[in-house]
Amino acid sequence: MKNPLVLVGLALSLVIAGGISFYASSQPDGFEKSAGEIGFLDTAEDSPLAGSPLAEYGVAGVENERLSGGLAGVIGVASTAAISFGIFYALRRFNKSKS
Amino acid sequence: MHIPDGFIDIPTSAAFAAIAAVGVGASLKGAAKSLDEKTAPLAGLTATFIFAVQMINFPVAAGTSGHLFGSVLAAVLVGPYVATLALSVVLLLQALLFADGGLTAAGLNVFNLSLVGVWVGYGVFLLVKKILPKNKPSITTAAAIAAFISVPAAVMGFLLQYAIGANSTFSLTAVFTGMMSTHVLIGIGEAVITAFSVTAVMASRPDLVYGYRGTKAQLEIRKA
């Protein structure tokens, strides 16, 4: 990977998800809020995965909120990067004949 | 805008999951044609960056927040096919790892953000780009306008799903008004973040920006 843009971008993603996300607004999301105001928020059901170790962007068992959210963010960035780079590099191979 | 389970009934969710699967399948083919040595890493970065930025909820009105969708950002940077895949990866990971967005609702979310948001947004981007002068700032302007519109467009996707198979019985007018009032504001945030991000990539590697390619070719015709 000789492209500095990609390295800088990935580092920035880690900083955003792992650190800056702590300072994100904790007010309800606009979609949820609107659903509540219209009146159908109570039809929402918990995801079957609501009890999973990373649910709601925290790591189960990590008490410190900043650490818990930051770790979840880093795990999310690493997972997204692994899967998306994997898929896009694999797809690129199908394009080999053209380039 | 991550729809949880329960808002929309199972048959409707299943139908939209099928449509989403067809859309993602078609995008796999389209993406394979557009990805190469240079654009594949940018595509991976785009998905990763959108995941990260979606964690940042910004305040939009009293007691309400919003976050980036990323549909137009991805479409402009890596093209609509790859953008559909990038957004789908992000949405599925959020649902599976973080319980953000429902499981039976996954198809609804992929439909709204990966298909409607990306393709309507990209269409608007192309239209605006056509009207504006052929230069770099126009790419940012067109991306910002398209990003703004992609948010209400995705909300219209939800409205369609609500009309077909909601588990509640509020009038479409009530749902439309309630959803749009906040999402127009979220659209402004979407436009700002998209404009900043597109400008940053255009400043460093304009050659990689999918939405800039046609423009560049036209500029290169001129010979000294």
Side-chain angles (χ1 to χ4, degrees):
Chain A
M1 229 182 297
K2 293 155 285 179
N3 188 347
L5 169 70
V6 172
L7 289 179
V8 170
L10 287 177
L12 180 64
S13 303
L14 276 176
V15 170
I16 291 172
I20 301 173
S21 62
F22 180 73
Y23 301 97
S25 168
S26 52
Q27 299 291 346
D29 179 80
F31 183 68
E32 228 173 86
K33 182 80 187 293
S34 305
E37 281 168 357
I38 300 161
F40 62 88
L41 185 58
D42 57 357
T43 62
E45 294 158 13
D46 268 347
S47 162
L49 300 174
S52 70
L54 294 172
E56 300 304 317
Y57 300 93
V59 178
V62 179
E63 296 296 318
N64 184 312
E65 236 178 87
R66 188 191 288 263
L67 191 63
S68 177
L71 267 177
V74 169
I75 294 171
V77 162
S79 316
T80 314
I83 294 176
S84 58
F85 276 82
I87 290 176
F88 295 131
Y89 271 99
L91 281 174
R92 180 208 56 172
R93 269 171 215 198
F94 289 105
N95 195 19
K96 244 180 187 168
S97 53
K98 217 177 76 179
S99 60
Chain B
M1 201 182 98
H2 290 55
I3 304 172
D5 288 337
F7 278 7
I8 307 295
D9 66 26
I10 300 289
T12 310
S13 302
F16 276 93
I19 299 171
V22 171
V24 168
S27 297
L28 281 168
K29 276 192 174 173
K33 278 183 197 146
S34 70
L35 286 167
D36 59 28
E37 213 67 29
K38 282 179 175 173
T39 52
L42 180 64
L45 169 62
T46 301
T48 309
F49 182 72
I50 288 172
F51 169 84
V53 178
Q54 283 203 359
M55 284 186 76
I56 310 292
N57 276 67
F58 49 82
V60 287
T64 313
S65 71
H67 63 70
L68 180 80
F69 288 19
S71 308
V72 168
L73 173 58
V76 171
L77 291 183
V78 292
Y81 292 109
V82 179
T84 295
L85 300 180
L87 263 292
S88 302
V89 167
V90 169
L91 288 168
L92 292 179
L93 265 176
Q94 287 169 331
L96 292 173
L97 272 185
F98 302 101
D100 186 15
L103 273 195
T104 57
L108 303 166
N109 287 318
V110 168
F111 178 84
N112 293 338
L113 298 190
S114 311
L115 296 180
V116 177
V118 165
W119 289 91
V120 171
Y122 192 67
V124 173
F125 169 78
L126 288 182
L127 276 177
V128 177
K129 192 176 107 166
K130 211 169 217 180
I131 303 167
L132 295 175
K134 309 263 171 283
N135 57 29
K136 281 188 184 182
S138 296
I139 300 298
T140 301
T141 310
I145 294 170
F148 173 73
I149 291 175
S150 72
V151 175
V155 172
M156 290 308 290
F158 172 70
L159 221 72
L160 174 71
Q161 294 157 351
Y162 191 92
I164 297 173
N167 278 330
S168 50
T169 53
F170 294 93
S171 76
L172 282 183
T173 323
V175 179
F176 176 84
T177 320
M179 282 292 163
M180 281 306 176
S181 55
T182 40
H183 282 89
V184 165
L185 298 174
I186 294 176
I188 297 173
E190 182 84 18
V192 171
I193 298 172
T194 303
F196 269 112
S197 311
V198 168
T199 305
V201 180
M202 285 292 288
S204 55
R205 291 300 301 270
D207 57 311
L208 294 183
V209 176
Y210 188 97
Y212 183 55
R213 279 186 201 163
T215 325
K216 207 177 138 203
Q218 268 167 314
L219 288 175
E220 277 172 355
I221 293 170
R222 200 160 42 138
K223 279 176 189 160

